[in-house]
Amino acid sequence: MSSVAEVGAVQSSEFSSRRLRHASILVFAGYAAGQILRLGSNLVMTRLLAPEMFGLMALANVVVAGVQMLTDMGINKSIIQNKDGVEQPFLNTAWALQILRGVSLAAIVWGFALTLWIVGPNGSSTNVYSHPDLPIVLAILASSLVISGFRPTKTAVANRDLQLGRITAIDLMTQIIGIVAMILWASYSPSVWALVAGTVISSVVRITAENICLSGVGNSWQWDRGYAKQIFHFGKWIFFTSLLSYWVLNGDRIILGFDINAHEMGIYSIAVFIVGSVRGALNTIMQKVMYPAMSRKLRESSDCTDMYYRFRLPLDFVICSLCGFLVVSGDQIVRLLYDERYSQAGIFLSFLSLGLIADRYRGLGLYYQAEGEPKKMMSVALSRALLLTIGLPFALFSYDLIGAVVFLGVYPIFIIPLQLYLKYKAGLMSVYREIAYTSFIVPGVAAGYFFTWLTSYVVN
C-alpha cells in the first residue's frame, strides 16, 4: 500500500460519528464565541462611531468581497475534495495560484479606488459611492488581499482531515486582536480608519499564526501543470456559482447604495449583521465539517443520504427556530442592544429573518461540490440572482427602503421548490423529514413572543 493510500485509510477510519459530532461541536462553539466577541465589539463600536462609518465600511467590504468571489477558483475546496489534495506538489501549486490571485484581486480594487478618486465626489449626490473617504478605504483594504494570498495550505489540509482545534483557536485569537485594535483606535480617533485598521491587522495576525501554529510542511513556489489543470477544471464552475452567490449575498447593498445615504446604510447593516451571524454559523459548520465529511463519503460510496440528514437535523432545528424567533422579536432585540439612532434596524431585522428558512438547503450545493459537479447548482444561483436583480430595484423605487427590505426577506423562499426538485434528482429527498424539520419554526416563534413579553416586563 502506498503512503498516500495509508493516509487515506487512516483518515477514513477517523471519520466516525463521534468525530463528526466532535468537529461540529467544536466549530459551532468556536463560531458562537466569535459571534459573541463580534456582537460585543459591535455594541462598543456603535457607541464610539456614527452610523455613517458603518455604512461606508459595509460598502467597502462588499466591493472587496466582490472581487474575491468574482475570481474564486475554489482552491481550498479543491484541496479538500481532490484525492491528491495531500500531495505536496498539489499543495504548492495551489499556493502559487492563491498568491497570484491575491495580487490580482488587490490590483482590481486599487483600480476601482483610483477610478472613484478621479471621478471625485458628486456635490449633488448623497449616496454612499460619493463619500470622499471611500477610495482611500478601498485602497488600504486591498492590501489585506495580498497578505491573504500567502496563507499556507496547511489550513485547508487540517480542514480536510477535520483537525479543527487549532484552526478554531487561531480564528478566535485573530478576532480578539483585531477587535482590540479597533476599539483602541476608535477611542483615540473615532473614525472609519479604526474599522479599516482592525481588518488589516487581523489579516497579518492570521497568516502569522497559521504558519507558526499549524503542523505540516510549509509551502514553496512550485507549478505542476497537471495539478493546475485539475484545480482550474474543478474551479471553473465554482467561479460561476461564486459570481452569482456574491451578487445574491451582497447585491442588496450595491443596489441600495445608489439610493440611500451612508447613515441609512449603517442602520441597514446592523440588521444584516445579526441575520448574517445566524447565516454564518450555518455556513461555517457546513463548510468546515459537512463538506469534508461528504467529500470523504463520496470517495468511498455513492450514497450519503443518511449523512446528509444527520447534519440537517440539528442545523434545521437551529435555523428554523432562530428564523421564527427573530421574525417575532427582531424589533425588541434591537431596542435592547442599540441606542435610538439604530431603532429602525429592528423592523429590518424581522423582515430579513424570513429568508433564513431557505438557508436550510445550502448543504445541497456542498453535496454537488463534493461530488465534483458544482455546475448542477447553477440553476438555483441564477434564479436567485435574477430575482434580486429585477425585484429589488422595483421594490426600492416603488415602495422605498422598507419595501426593499420586505422583498429581501421574502424572495429566497420563492426558490425553495427548485431546491427541493434538485434534492429529489440527487436522491437526497425525504418528504417526511422535510415536513418534520420545518415544524421547528413553531418553538422559535413561541420563544420569540415569550422573550418579547419578558424583556418588556423587566425593562418597563
Side-chain angles (χ1 to χ4, degrees):
M1 181 183 289
S2 67
S3 59
V4 175
E6 288 172 356
V7 171
V10 171
Q11 291 171 344
S12 177
S13 66
E14 292 174 343
F15 275 47
S16 61
S17 297
R18 180 179 179 182
R19 186 177 182 89
L20 292 174
R21 277 196 306 271
H22 175 76
S24 299
I25 293 171
L26 182 63
V27 169
F28 182 78
Y31 185 85
Q35 290 307 301
I36 292 172
L37 289 171
R38 190 179 176 195
L39 176 61
S41 68
N42 188 267
L43 295 175
V44 173
M45 295 299 288
T46 54
R47 284 157 175 78
L48 294 173
L49 302 179
E52 175 188 2
M53 303 296 100
F54 291 96
L56 182 61
M57 192 65 178
L59 185 59
N61 283 331
V62 165
V63 173
V64 173
V67 297
Q68 286 180 301
M69 296 187 75
L70 290 176
T71 58
D72 186 9
M73 296 183 294
I75 294 175
N76 286 340
K77 289 183 177 179
S78 184
I79 293 172
I80 293 171
Q81 188 267 346
N82 197 290
K83 61 182 177 62
D84 295 325
V86 293
E87 298 290 347
Q88 199 60 36
F90 185 96
L91 296 174
N92 287 337
T93 302
W95 188 66
L97 282 169
Q98 185 176 270
I99 293 173
L100 294 173
R101 176 174 174 264
V103 174
S104 301
L105 294 180
I108 294 172
V109 176
W110 285 327
F112 183 67
L114 181 61
T115 301
L116 289 177
W117 180 75
I118 292 174
V119 172
N122 186 343
S124 62
S125 177
T126 59
N127 67 43
V128 191
Y129 292 100
S130 64
H131 198 288
D133 289 338
L134 183 58
I136 306 174
V137 170
L138 287 171
I140 297 175
L141 287 179
S143 64
S144 66
L145 297 174
V146 178
I147 296 169
S148 297
F150 287 86
R151 290 181 62 186
T153 57
K154 293 188 287 185
T155 306
V157 173
N159 196 171
R160 172 188 171 109
D161 299 335
L162 295 185
Q163 296 173 358
L164 302 174
R166 292 188 180 184
I167 294 177
T168 303
I170 290 172
D171 288 342
L172 291 175
M173 179 187 69
T174 299
Q175 189 173 4
I176 290 171
I177 293 175
I179 289 171
V180 171
M182 283 193 301
I183 293 176
L184 289 177
W185 190 304
S187 299
Y188 175 75
S189 177
S191 66
V192 71
W193 308 117
L195 302 174
V196 175
T199 300
V200 176
I201 291 171
S202 294
S203 297
V204 175
V205 172
R206 180 181 297 279
I207 190 173
T208 303
E210 287 176 342
N211 275 292
I212 295 174
C213 300
L214 295 179
S215 60
V217 180
N219 295 112
S220 59
W221 188 270
Q222 183 176 356
W223 187 266
D224 186 293
R225 183 174 296 182
Y227 285 142
K229 186 176 180 180
Q230 289 182 36
I231 294 172
F232 275 117
H233 177 73
F234 177 80
K236 64 183 179 182
W237 290 107
I238 297 288
F239 165 78
F240 288 117
T241 54
S242 293
L243 172 63
L244 295 172
S245 296
Y246 163 76
W247 181 248
V248 168
L249 293 174
N250 300 285
D252 57 340
R253 278 148 287 177
I254 294 176
I255 294 173
L256 293 176
F258 287 104
D259 191 66
I260 66 176
N261 58 40
H263 177 87
E264 291 172 317
M265 182 69 81
I267 294 173
Y268 174 74
S269 68
I270 294 298
V272 172
F273 159 71
I274 297 175
V275 174
S277 297
V278 177
R279 191 164 278 143
L282 176 72
N283 187 60
T284 299
I285 293 176
M286 285 185 169
Q287 293 283 356
K288 290 190 174 182
V289 184
M290 188 177 185
Y291 177 61
M294 287 197 299
S295 295
R296 175 72 60 191
K297 181 70 173 179
L298 288 172
R299 284 196 291 267
E300 301 170 350
S301 169
S302 60
D303 183 16
C304 65
T305 303
D306 289 340
M307 175 176 288
Y308 173 79
Y309 276 105
R310 192 189 311 167
F311 279 100
R312 278 285 306 276
L313 176 59
L315 290 175
D316 276 30
F317 177 77
V318 172
I319 200 74
C320 290
S321 297
L322 285 176
C323 174
F325 179 80
L326 292 174
V327 167
V328 171
S329 62
D331 190 58
Q332 184 70 2
I333 290 172
V334 170
R335 289 176 183 272
L336 291 173
L337 295 179
Y338 299 93
D339 62 52
E340 60 182 13
R341 294 176 299 169
Y342 298 90
S343 59
Q344 192 178 11
I347 190 66
F348 292 173
L349 174 58
S350 292
F351 283 121
L352 291 177
S353 299
L354 288 168
L356 289 173
I357 196 70
D359 283 50
R360 306 157 59 199
Y361 303 109
R362 286 193 177 191
L364 178 62
L366 295 179
Y367 168 81
Y368 281 128
Q369 290 178 20
E371 197 180 39
E373 297 286 347
K375 63 182 180 182
K376 292 183 178 180
M377 283 299 291
M378 279 291 292
S379 58
V380 172
L382 183 59
S383 298
R384 291 193 66 172
L386 286 174
L387 269 177
L388 178 67
T389 303
I390 297 171
L392 180 56
F394 174 79
L396 177 62
F397 293 112
S398 299
Y399 303 102
D400 208 6
L401 180 57
I402 187 64
V405 173
V406 172
F407 170 81
L408 289 168
V410 171
Y411 92 95
I413 300 174
F414 299 151
I415 310 298
I416 291 179
L418 176 58
Q419 293 171 312
L420 293 175
Y421 171 74
L422 291 174
K423 278 170 57 65
Y424 170 77
K425 294 284 287 185
L428 296 175
M429 187 65 176
S430 171
V431 176
Y432 166 75
R433 285 168 167 167
E434 293 299 330
I435 295 173
Y437 292 2
T438 303
S439 66
F440 292 146
I441 198 171
V442 175
V445 170
Y449 278 116
F450 178 74
F451 173 82
T452 302
W453 170 81
L454 180 63
T455 52
S456 298
Y457 177 79
V458 171
V459 172
N460 296 331

